[in-house]
Amino acid sequence: MTDAHRADPRHPDAVSARRAVEAVWRIESSHIVATLTRYTGDFSLAEDLAQEALAEALGQWPVQGTPRNAAAWLTAVAKRRAIDHWRRSERFSDRIATLARDVEREHEQRIQGDTAPWDPDEIRDDTLRLVFTACHPVLSPTSRVALTLRVVAGLSTDEIARAFLVPVSAVQQRIVRAKRALADAGVPFETPPPADRPERLGAVLGTIYGLFTEGHAATAGDDWMRPDLASEAVRLARVLARLQPGEPEVHGLLALLELTAARFPARTDAAGVPVLLGDQDRRRWDRGAISRGRAALRRAEGAGRGLGPYGLQAAIAECHAVAPSVDDTDWSRIVRLYDGLVRVAPTPVVALNRAVAVSMADGPDAALAIVDGLASERAFAMSHLLPSVRGELLARLGRDDEARDAFARAAELSRNARERAVLLAKAAART
């Protein structure tokens, strides 16, 4: 059998290689792009080089086999492509001089070993350093988050648009403008000094939260959740909490992610079918994550500055975590927490989630009036969220025909296969 046969995209080896490439990219893309950005100092170039390495993998892996350390292979290939790029752009001498200084510095650090002083303010995590760089003040807040989720987390523009309930075209424009603005401003890939971090912190927190949200409920595809993305978000939040121990919202975000991720083991059945909160076996919830989340929430509260949006959401998640069942949950406290959240973060999604809590505390009639009042919000124009909640409320009121139509509309708008199946089943149950 010839190498040309193995490279045929229909050949089993080529199919296997493509799956391996997809799997490595899904798990390691943020680390690869972050490493390349540190190496090149250029966001866009790093992303292009990573894509070129992926293309080379699709050609070589079917013939030579998937390397043992696939991520390192992709990074090494991309670095070689970077050197080729610099040669072509006549910047080779400058870059070689820079790399030589980097190698010399790293060599000195190895020689110093444990005697080198440890700087607690230095960001040693390439991915988190990339997040801080992408959240530079030269960019608008929305552009910072969109760019970081695209470059750091590897989310598609569709996924980012869904996370923020905005059109795909708007996300594309934000990313293009952001890359151009960073290039025009000559923003370096470097650790921001502690004094510059507070003004970037909000965008960094928003980025990590957006990453987790996509892992919690995937925009599209056959899987309801993407645990790899959620795990990376939790890891970044933990690193950030160690880096910024005096910031209560950092601990609030970490608490929210830990307490929410604690439910993951019970959110799907063995076949990957979603299991809703009321049907989950709470014995399968991760008690370690709940303990870590509650400890982080106490640290946020202990700062004495009040809870921000992430801390309030974490407090809501804690109510669920400690309740023995849906019926025994302290819904009145959750409504009060949402009242506070509406004051500090008045978004349509928060208002919709508050309506769900009101339905549990005061009944579906009161909640339906709130939901209908949100129907004209542009954010929900192409989202399945509002018709899904409306269907639940109508079903509880016994208005089956209207509930069926609402669930069908929600299924029509959902782009996740698992979620759509659940909504269609609910619609069918109302016939």
Side-chain angles (χ1 to χ4, degrees), residues 46 51 84 101 119 126 131 192 207 213 229 355 364 401 412-413 423:
Q51 293 295 333
D84 292 340
R101 286 196 295 272
D119 181 357
D126 270 348
V131 173
T207 298
T213 300
L229 291 182
D401 289 346
E412 184 181 326
L413 292 171
L423 292 166

Side-chain angles (χ1 to χ4, degrees), residues 25 29 32-33 36 44-56 74-75 77-79 81:
W25 186 249
S29 62
I32 294 171
V33 172
L36 293 172
S44 296
L45 179 58
E47 200 173 23
D48 291 345
L49 293 170
Q51 293 295 333
E52 290 180 21
L54 286 177
E56 190 164 330
L74 290 168
T75 305
V77 168
K79 285 183 175 180
R81 293 296 181 96

